[in-house]
Amino acid sequence: MADIQTSIAPWLSVSNAVKAVAFYKNAFNAVETYRLETPDGLVVKLSVNGAEFWISGDLNDHHNIKALHPLGGNTVRMILTVSDPDTVFANAISAGATEIFPVGESHGWRLGRIADPFGLHWEIGHEVKG
């Protein structure tokens, strides 16, 4: 059996997977590494410089919008660690995210927080070495 490295990859369920995949590709320069389309919907694995996460949901807006409730920033919060948080943050805002708080330095981190168009909160930043 080949060596398998332990990892944790978030799986985000959204009402419109096609829009979500397009948003994350545009906002975070994510690369699609796996795609499965079925009559029930879409499953895609995305990678941002090797950091992987999954998206699933309907192929369009009209099936399960009411069945999915955004988790928001108090239940689940994603942390995207990048070398240039200012640029990634600005790209996310340009792609349709909403600013929760701007990029700044606090508690040993340079980061800001956005809400994506699907209600999920992302903190974008990195630890400040000093």
Side-chain angles (χ1 to χ4, degrees):
M1 179 181 222
D3 289 335
I4 296 175
Q5 184 176 356
T6 301
S7 67
I8 295 176
W11 187 300
L12 309 177
S13 297
V14 297
S15 61
N16 185 319
V18 172
K19 284 185 182 177
V21 169
F23 170 79
Y24 296 122
K25 285 180 175 180
N26 190 22
F28 303 147
N29 201 27
V31 175
E32 195 172 307
T33 62
Y34 175 88
R35 182 181 198 90
L36 173 65
E37 289 187 34
T38 70
D40 295 328
L42 177 66
V43 175
V44 173
K45 182 167 71 168
L46 296 170
S47 175
V48 179
N49 292 326
E52 297 178 332
F53 63 103
W54 295 79
I55 300 293
S56 70
D58 289 331
L59 289 168
N60 53 47
D61 280 326
H62 68 274
H63 287 101
N64 290 323
I65 291 176
K66 293 181 182 178
L68 294 172
H69 301 286
L71 297 173
N74 293 325
T75 308
V76 173
R77 193 177 308 160
M78 307 300 293
I79 299 174
L80 179 59
T81 304
V82 296
S83 61
D84 184 1
D86 297 87
T87 298
V88 175
F89 188 91
N91 288 345
I93 297 297
S94 294
T98 302
E99 181 180 296
I100 303 299
F101 62 81
V103 175
E105 289 192 23
S106 181
H107 306 290
W109 280 76
R110 176 158 187 77
L111 86 160
R113 186 187 315 169
I114 59 144
D116 69 23
F118 314 99
L120 296 168
H121 285 212
W122 292 79
E123 291 192 2
I124 302 168
H126 61 77
E127 281 188 273
V128 176
K129 308 286 183 186

